[in-house]
């Protein structure tokens, strides 16, 4: 039950927007991030949930006009709150991942419709996963280790803890 994973205002807002968009058939209202992704390998589920956090309940829309319409509906009817993610306003840059045998981009472990890629790059794009690596000695050609650690946030697969000690 999703209600256990978010605050009451977000849950109320999400329910209201799902009902509204279904009833009105709002073009450009796609859904919340958690429902737009699939994590096919169970081993990465915890890492995706930990990294995504509350952003998993952000609602993806085509543009700010749709976001404004939906936000106004919530506000005018006191139906909770949501964060909207207008795809036309996102321009995430690709993060270079460290070169190591078991280190990969977390976003590569998620399946999604390519039309929403900017939203998922925005949430998951900076995170690299590893099963058993030392992030202090990993190398990205042409980039100093201090710089790549600011660019790429390491997450372990086993316990999904973000390794703050190397940041």
């Amino acid at each position: 039950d999703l209600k256990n994973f978010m605050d009451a205002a977000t849950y109320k807002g999400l329910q209201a927007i799902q009902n509204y968009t279904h009833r009105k058939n709002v073009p450009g209202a796609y859904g919340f991030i958690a429902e737009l992704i699939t994590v096919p390998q169970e081993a990465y589920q915890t890492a995706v949930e930990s990294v995504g956090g509350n952003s998993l309940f952000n609602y993806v829309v085509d543009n700010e006009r749709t976001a404004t319409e939906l936000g106004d509906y919530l506000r005018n009817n006191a139906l909770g709150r949501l964060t909207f993610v207008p795809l036309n306003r996102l321009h995430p840059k690709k993060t270079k991942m460290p070169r190591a045998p078991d280190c990969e981009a977390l976003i590569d472990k998620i399946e999604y419709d390519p039309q929403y890629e900017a939203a998922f790059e925005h949430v998951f794009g900076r995170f690299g996963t590893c099963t058993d690596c030392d992030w202090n000695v990993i190398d990205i050609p042409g980039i100093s280790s201090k710089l790549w650690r600011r660019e790429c946030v390491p997450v372990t697969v086993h316990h999904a803890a973000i390794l703050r000690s190397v940041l």
Side-chain angles (χ1 to χ4, degrees):
D1 184 22
L2 288 176
K3 191 174 188 176
N4 298 327
F5 296 101
M6 65 187 88
D7 64 88
T10 300
Y11 182 75
K12 184 177 179 182
L14 193 54
Q15 295 293 84
I17 290 302
Q18 286 179 315
N19 291 335
Y20 179 78
T21 57
H22 180 71
R23 191 173 68 251
K24 298 282 187 178
N25 195 24
V26 178
Y30 303 124
F32 62 102
I33 287 182
E35 74 178 347
L36 297 174
I37 63 173
T38 302
V39 184
Q41 297 176 30
E42 191 174 324
Y44 293 95
Q45 187 71 39
T46 302
V48 168
E49 291 171 0
S50 296
V51 166
N54 288 336
S55 295
L56 292 173
F57 307 111
N58 290 355
Y59 203 89
V60 180
V61 296
D62 58 350
N63 58 46
E64 55 276 331
R65 194 173 321 118
T66 304
T68 299
E69 174 188 346
L70 298 178
D72 286 349
Y73 172 74
L74 288 179
R75 192 172 26 267
N76 294 340
N77 295 288
L79 293 172
R81 66 170 157 37
L82 273 181
T83 299
F84 295 96
V85 181
L87 291 173
N88 72 320
R89 302 293 287 183
L90 298 177
H91 306 288
K93 62 178 184 167
K94 279 279 194 199
T95 299
K96 292 182 182 181
M97 287 294 131
R99 185 172 49 189
D102 65 341
C103 296
E104 300 176 72
L106 180 60
I107 196 165
D108 292 342
K109 301 302 178 183
I110 300 168
E111 292 179 355
Y112 53 87
D113 185 321
Q115 84 179 64
Y116 312 126
E117 183 169 19
F120 304 126
E121 281 286 345
H122 178 73
V123 175
F124 301 106
R126 290 186 58 227
F127 293 87
T129 65
C130 65
T131 52
D132 189 29
C133 61
D134 182 354
W135 286 78
N136 288 307
V137 298
I138 294 173
D139 171 52
I140 299 179
I143 298 179
S144 74
S145 62
K146 284 185 179 182
L147 176 62
W148 80 254
R149 285 188 221 141
R150 278 183 285 176
E151 300 272 326
C152 175
V153 180
V155 179
T156 63
V157 175
H158 294 304
H159 47 74
I162 297 173
L163 303 172
R164 299 272 183 218
S165 63
V166 297
L167 298 178

